[in-house]
Amino acid sequence: DTGVSQNPRHKITKRGQNVTFRCDPISEHNRLYWYRQTLGQGPEFLTYFQNEAQLEKSRLLSDRFSAERPKGSFSTLEIQRTEQGDSAMYLCASSRVAGSYNEQFFGPGTRLTVL
Amino acid sequence: AQSVTQPDIHITVSEGASLELRCNYSYGATPYLFWYVQSPGQGLQLLLKYFSGDTLVQGIKGFEAEFKRSQSSFNLRKPSVHWSDAAEYFCAVGAVTGGFKTIFGAGTRLFVKA
């Protein structure tokens, strides 16, 4: 399968614990995005990378959230001291860098439940 | 600021009937527009996209959408709905500034009755 993959698909944790999600983009894609989708809403942009550089972060990304893409390939999203409000689907997407706008391909998401 | 509005939270149509899902956007330049579908527990699947050219865009699964600049709309249509079309549909605009992030509407849930 050559699509975007995310692990784990589901994560249940207790409030206050740390969690980490992984995203593996399509191999030739330079840009990688993280989105958060809460129940009944569309996905909201969190952050994006071009290669290993994190170029933009949404105000939704509090200081408890950190994302990395150390070698410009896979990315991790860590949430520290989770809160119940962090419960959501976390989506990863990737795209090529070429000219103007390029279509983003989405992974299946990681559903986080904070108890 | 860029935004996308989907006025209908949910819509119910009979199988075989036609479908139109509404989408209005706010964007300062020529928009890149998308419709995605999301089934329960699944990721987002791209139905169709508009970048430029012909304002009537054909997509997968028999869907089409029409870009109307004067109305800032990009409505999704299908002439005959199948039960398998029941899902959540998201309209989105691609923002050219700041890394080309995608801005989504809140979605429209489609129910199909037999």
Side-chain angles (χ1 to χ4, degrees):
Chain A
D1 185 78
T2 57
V4 178
S5 62
Q6 293 185 246
N7 288 287
R9 295 290 308 275
H10 303 273
K11 179 70 176 178
I12 299 174
T13 191
K14 292 182 179 179
R15 188 178 54 182
Q17 298 294 306
N18 299 344
V19 294
T20 300
F21 311 141
R22 176 178 170 128
C23 171
D24 288 89
I26 295 171
S27 60
E28 65 268 25
H29 286 183
N30 303 90
R31 287 202 175 119
L32 186 148
Y33 302 77
W34 285 100
Y35 292 82
R36 182 175 70 184
Q37 184 179 18
T38 53
L39 204 61
Q41 297 297 316
E44 295 173 290
F45 169 79
L46 291 178
T47 187
Y48 94 95
F49 293 83
Q50 183 161 314
N51 299 313
E52 65 275 10
Q54 187 174 17
L55 297 185
E56 187 175 347
K57 294 195 290 186
S58 161
R59 56 182 171 76
L60 294 175
L61 213 66
S62 76
D63 55 9
R64 296 185 297 105
F65 287 70
S66 63
E68 294 182 342
R69 194 182 183 198
K71 297 182 180 179
S73 56
F74 73 91
S75 174
T76 58
L77 178 68
E78 180 182 17
I79 308 175
Q80 296 182 325
R81 304 181 304 281
T82 53
E83 301 173 356
Q84 288 184 324
D86 297 330
S87 296
M89 175 78 86
Y90 291 85
L91 294 165
C92 176
S94 69
S95 71
R96 267 181 284 190
V97 178
S100 61
Y101 192 89
N102 283 287
E103 175 186 341
Q104 295 175 16
F105 293 81
F106 284 82
T110 295
R111 181 167 294 285
L112 172 66
T113 301
V114 181
L115 301 176
Chain B
Q2 304 115 348
S3 66
V4 177
T5 302
Q6 294 181 247
D8 303 305
I9 297 173
H10 54 80
I11 281 182
T12 301
V13 299
S14 298
E15 191 170 16
S18 64
L19 170 71
E20 182 169 27
L21 301 182
R22 296 183 292 164
C23 172
N24 292 96
Y25 66 89
S26 173
Y27 189 67
T30 300
Y32 299 88
L33 295 163
F34 305 85
W35 275 100
Y36 288 87
V37 61
Q38 187 178 39
S39 298
Q42 302 297 311
L44 293 164
Q45 181 181 23
L46 181 69
L47 286 175
L48 47 78
K49 61 189 177 188
Y50 171 78
F51 281 12
S52 65
D54 193 344
T55 56
L56 185 62
V57 181
Q58 301 297 319
I60 63 171
K61 304 184 179 185
F63 286 93
E64 66 177 26
E66 186 171 12
F67 169 57
K68 292 186 177 180
R69 184 188 300 276
S70 62
Q71 298 176 20
S72 297
S73 69
F74 189 57
N75 294 348
L76 181 72
R77 299 193 294 250
K78 186 170 184 178
S80 177
V81 168
H82 188 262
W83 65 266
S84 61
D85 293 325
E88 187 95 26
Y89 291 80
F90 293 97
C91 181
V93 62
V96 176
T97 57
F100 310 103
K101 58 180 172 281
T102 306
I103 298 163
F104 289 85
T108 297
R109 167 78 61 182
L110 173 65
F111 297 94
V112 180
K113 60 182 180 181

